[in-house]
Amino acid sequence: IPVAGVGKRLRPHTLSNPKPLLNVAGKPMIHFIVEQIIKEKIANEFVFITGYMGDKIQQYLDETFAGQAKFQYVEQKDPKGLGHAIYHAKPFFKKNEEAFIILGDTLFDVDLKELVSSEHSVIGVKEVDDPRRFGVVEKDKDGFVSRFVEKPKSQRVSKSNDAIVGLYYIKDSNSLFSSLNSIMKGGIKTGGEFQLTDALEKMLKGKGRFTTYHVEGWLDCGKAETLLETNRYLLSKLHGKKKYKNVKGVKIIPPVYIGKKVKFKNSIIGPNATINDGSDIINSTVENSIIGSDCTIENSKLFDSLVGSESTVKNVKLSINTGNNSEIISK
């Protein structure tokens, strides 16, 4: 699981926290990934490729999932692309072991057991309108992958709209690492980086055989608006039927998530609102927003907002995006 990215598009939130620890529906996004893999017994050994604020990710995982799986960490000190990151995991694999690669900053609503049950390597894909931002796969008449293309610049480069979503089940890790090593030694880059897609294409030209698995529930967490979309999706799926009883001082419009020791006074929460632990909501309305822990929201009407932890917002009636330890007071 590569978790080394800086997350520039989610600043200011990623100035104080790594992207995989950003909260959606009451938990860091990396929590949902690890929890599902452990619960569904997909694997009991994890290798995390860390970088930016990797110590925070390691501390969270080791404390939260202590005793549930074996976690190992390796730092990507010089980021040179996803392929370069994945190659850092090579020392942790025995020859010909299977590998399951999941991007650590994207969430999926998918049957992982079904995905990894194939006798061939599997690439998770979803059809998109514009494939130019993604790696794509082309398939032959039998449904096997015939070509990998990293971020095609136009439809003339590839006619496929099957985007690679960030799930890779590799039957032979030895072949994967050999191909990664080959493209790095050969200086084969796309977009100035060593890409995993280029290594997969090299495997394909050898003896590698890949099928695809359609992933409908591909939950992007790359920027503020998509983080809120993912929050809405998870609230509906995980907390849509949850009823908060005996919560004083608030009208709740589900789905919502309300953390521990949250206090309300004369407020309306929801729909699609996440309020994390220890926050105080006073004379305010919060809709389609994520409020961090230990915040104070007073005399405000927030919508489509991200508010970092330990922040104070008073007399504000608009959409805001503010990092941790912020203060926004309108007079």
Side-chain angles (χ1 to χ4, degrees):
I1 302 182
V3 290
V6 175
K8 290 182 180 179
R9 291 186 298 165
L10 277 166
R11 289 177 177 172
H13 305 281
T14 50
L15 293 174
S16 52
N17 276 307
K19 184 179 175 182
L21 290 187
L22 296 187
N23 185 287
V24 282
K27 294 178 182 178
M29 61 180 77
I30 191 66
H31 185 108
F32 293 100
I33 297 171
V34 174
E35 184 178 56
Q36 182 179 4
I37 293 172
I38 292 175
K39 278 187 174 182
E40 295 185 7
K41 298 181 179 180
I42 304 298
N44 59 9
E45 184 174 351
F46 294 74
V47 179
F48 295 91
I49 299 93
T50 65
Y52 180 69
M53 297 192 192
D55 56 332
K56 287 191 173 185
I57 295 173
Q58 180 172 346
Q59 181 181 0
Y60 177 82
L61 292 171
D62 287 347
E63 291 178 355
T64 305
F65 296 99
Q68 298 183 48
K70 182 179 180 180
F71 292 157
Q72 301 180 93
Y73 304 88
V74 58
E75 184 181 4
Q76 184 190 23
K77 295 181 180 180
D78 185 13
K80 297 179 181 179
L82 179 57
H84 178 258
I86 298 302
Y87 190 72
H88 281 65
K90 183 180 185 297
F92 300 94
F93 281 80
K94 298 175 184 177
K95 188 175 182 180
N96 297 329
E97 275 190 319
E98 296 176 338
F100 190 26
I101 301 166
I102 302 183
L103 302 190
D105 58 0
T106 305
L107 298 182
F108 305 93
D109 186 3
V110 62
D111 186 340
L112 293 180
K113 275 192 173 181
E114 185 177 10
L115 189 152
V116 301
S117 65
S118 173
E119 61 181 297
H120 303 290
S121 295
V122 181
I123 306 298
V125 300
K126 182 176 182 178
E127 187 173 344
V128 296
D129 293 330
D130 185 356
R132 289 175 295 180
R133 292 194 300 117
F134 311 101
V136 300
V137 299
E138 297 175 359
K139 291 180 285 188
D140 62 23
K141 58 183 178 60
D142 297 317
F144 288 97
V145 176
S146 59
R147 186 183 178 213
F148 290 95
V149 183
E150 177 63 24
K151 294 183 175 66
K153 294 181 179 179
S154 71
Q155 293 288 8
R156 288 175 294 180
V157 175
S158 176
K159 295 181 179 180
S160 174
N161 280 44
D162 281 340
I164 300 171
V165 301
L167 295 170
Y168 312 81
Y169 172 52
I170 308 298
K171 297 292 287 188
D172 182 1
S173 62
N174 187 58
S175 177
L176 170 67
F177 292 124
S178 177
S179 295
L180 286 168
N181 183 56
S182 179
I183 67 167
M184 288 190 293
K185 278 191 172 182
I188 300 172
K189 295 182 178 181
T190 300
E193 295 183 328
F194 296 112
Q195 301 291 353
L196 177 58
T197 310
D198 291 331
L200 297 176
E201 174 68 11
K202 190 170 185 63
M203 291 174 66
L204 193 64
K205 290 178 178 178
K207 295 182 180 180
R209 207 166 194 200
F210 297 84
T211 61
T212 60
Y213 186 91
H214 180 73
V215 178
E216 185 60 36
W218 180 19
L219 310 177
D220 186 14
C221 300
K223 48 188 178 179
E225 53 265 40
T226 57
L227 196 69
L228 288 173
E229 288 175 11
T230 296
N231 185 62
R232 289 197 299 270
Y233 182 95
L234 291 175
L235 286 176
S236 178
K237 182 178 178 63
L238 301 176
H239 302 285
K241 297 181 180 180
K242 185 173 183 177
K243 295 182 179 180
Y244 288 90
K245 299 179 180 180
N246 303 318
V247 182
K248 297 180 180 179
V250 64
K251 177 182 178 181
I252 296 174
I253 306 174
V256 302
Y257 170 83
I258 299 173
K260 300 176 182 177
K261 298 182 179 180
V262 176
K263 297 178 182 178
F264 298 100
K265 181 180 180 182
N266 191 33
S267 294
I268 300 172
I269 301 300
N272 304 311
T274 290
I275 315 293
N276 283 289
D277 297 353
S279 289
D280 294 340
I281 315 296
I282 304 164
N283 299 324
S284 296
T285 298
V286 180
E287 177 182 347
N288 192 43
S289 299
I290 301 174
I291 308 299
S293 57
D294 300 308
C295 290
T296 298
I297 312 296
E298 187 172 353
N299 298 327
S300 296
K301 185 174 183 180
L302 299 183
F303 55 92
D304 304 339
S305 295
L306 295 174
V307 179
S309 295
E310 299 181 49
S311 295
T312 298
V313 178
K314 293 184 180 181
N315 308 320
V316 172
K317 296 184 178 181
L318 53 117
S319 172
I320 60 174
N321 184 4
T322 179
N324 291 355
N325 302 292
S326 298
E327 186 176 276
I328 300 179
I329 300 176
S330 178
K331 296 183 179 180

